[in-house]
Amino acid sequence: MAKIILVTGATSGFGQAIARTFAAAGWKCIITGRRKEQLQQFAEELRQAHKTEVLSLSFDVRDRNAVEQNLATLPAEWQAVDVLVNNAGLALGRDPFDEASLDDWDTMIDTNVKGLLYASKAIIPFMKKNKRGHIINIGSTAGKEVYPNGNVYCATKHAVDAISKSQRIDLLPHQIKVTAIHPGAADTEFSSVRFKGNEDKAKAVYEGYEPLHAEDVANIAFYCATLPAHVCINDLVVTCTAQANSFILHKS
Ligand code: NDP
Ligand code: 8X3
């Protein structure tokens, strides 16, 4: 029987690449994101290209009721979720603490932290019932060391790191694996979102070196998810070769 993966934030970047990689391997995919049309088009692409079943659910992970309504009540044939990838997230702004926007901080905390909590809470009961499951949380190198002007984005990713550790302990009796993947800089829509559509600023982030690509992270997620049942990668930091940690990057 085909396995089921649920990926939050699958309208672009890592989420889209992850869904593609798993669909290509025959997994059934539940994909989510706010941009409904984009999500539906992507669902159709996956169905056509990989002849797999896809369920697309459009909602905002910050909206607790919407998360519950969409995920806690999955159709019966979709409830046996094998892998949940908590990927939906964003950075907004890169400003000193005293100048950064409170609204941006709220959005990052609500999305990167609360969204991950809501989605996990909705799906864990299905995993407990099935006595198996795997949660893959997308953290960041920003969750390992803070960098200048990263303040609250870094804090949310440190929270993802801490929540992953605590999920791993608390879900152990239910045989649910928890993997945190912490990527460094990757050329997705991330910087365009962070700099609010300023494409020059976004492009500059990736100049002078080859960053990670979404497919790199997708392949890593696939590797983690397809290890034998008794093996779990708990914590994985991955950067491009030009990056040493969250603040040291060698540009040519
Ligand atoms: P993208 O901007 O390309 O993708 C972000 C995804 O998250 C989109 O599908 C977006 O969908 C979704 N999303 C954002 N906010 C919400 C929301 N409120 N509700 C539902 N979905 C939401 O960026 P990445 O692929 O790079 O980012 C994915 C994850 O990886 C994030 O958690 C990010 O912090 C993390 N990360 C990124 C790195 C990078 O350098 N790119 C490095 C390390 C970690 P939609 O807009 O349709 O809702
Ligand atoms: C995204 C990578 O370096 O912008 O988490 O924090 S970085």
Side-chain angles (χ1 to χ4, degrees):
M1 210 167 69
K3 290 192 164 189
I4 300 177
I5 184 168
L6 191 167
V7 187
T8 66
T11 51
S12 64
F14 296 163
Q16 203 167 55
I18 291 169
R20 253 191 212 112
T21 300
F22 281 76
W27 288 54
K28 289 163 67 174
C29 297
I30 306 171
I31 53 173
T32 85
R34 287 166 302 177
R35 287 170 285 176
K36 195 170 181 178
E37 205 174 311
Q38 211 149 319
L39 198 65
Q40 285 172 345
Q41 276 173 12
F42 181 48
E44 208 36 51
E45 177 204 308
L46 292 180
R47 288 185 196 109
Q48 298 283 335
H50 305 298
K51 311 286 172 239
T52 192
E53 289 176 53
V54 183
L55 176 66
S56 70
L57 299 171
S58 179
F59 60 89
D60 189 324
V61 294
R62 291 171 295 174
D63 182 339
R64 183 171 154 180
N65 290 332
V67 176
E68 278 172 15
Q69 276 159 23
N70 280 279
L71 299 189
T73 60
L74 285 172
E77 65 274 25
W78 286 97
Q79 287 183 0
V81 174
D82 293 283
V83 175
L84 162 67
V85 184
N86 281 311
N87 164 74
L90 79 174
L92 284 175
R94 193 164 175 162
D95 304 303
F97 191 92
D98 51 311
E99 291 172 22
S101 147
L102 276 172
D103 286 339
D104 287 351
W105 285 359
D106 279 343
T107 304
M108 288 188 280
I109 292 167
D110 290 348
T111 311
N112 301 357
V113 183
K114 290 181 174 181
L116 179 149
L117 297 176
Y118 299 157
S120 301
K121 280 289 258 185
I123 296 303
I124 287 167
F126 299 132
M127 292 183 167
K128 279 171 73 174
K129 196 172 153 208
N130 295 328
K131 297 191 176 55
R132 64 158 204 280
H134 192 166
I135 298 175
I136 299 180
N137 293 325
I138 304 298
S140 169
T141 45
K144 295 296 185 181
E145 307 105 4
V146 296
Y147 52 79
N149 303 334
N151 43 67
V152 170
Y153 177 67
C154 295
T156 64
K157 291 300 182 179
H158 275 71
V160 172
D161 194 30
I163 292 163
S164 303
K165 287 177 186 157
S166 103
Q167 284 181 332
R168 194 171 303 119
I169 296 168
D170 294 349
L171 300 177
L172 205 54
H174 306 294
Q175 293 153 66
I176 297 172
K177 299 185 190 186
V178 179
T179 298
I181 299 177
H182 304 278
D187 58 353
T188 62
E189 291 180 15
F190 177 84
S191 291
S192 174
V193 171
R194 174 173 231 171
F195 297 118
K196 303 175 182 172
N198 183 332
E199 296 304 332
D200 289 340
K201 252 177 143 175
K203 245 178 86 188
V205 173
Y206 307 111
E207 272 165 9
Y209 68 105
E210 181 168 4
L212 287 176
H213 307 303
E215 294 69 27
D216 300 321
V217 174
N219 289 333
I220 288 165
F222 187 75
Y223 177 75
C224 292
T226 51
L227 286 165
H230 69 288
V231 182
C232 179
I233 292 184
N234 294 338
D235 200 58
L236 191 153
V237 178
V238 54
T239 64
C240 66
T241 309
Q243 184 170 11
N245 60 29
S246 78
F247 53 87
I248 298 189
L249 193 68
H250 184 75
K251 292 196 178 199
S252 59

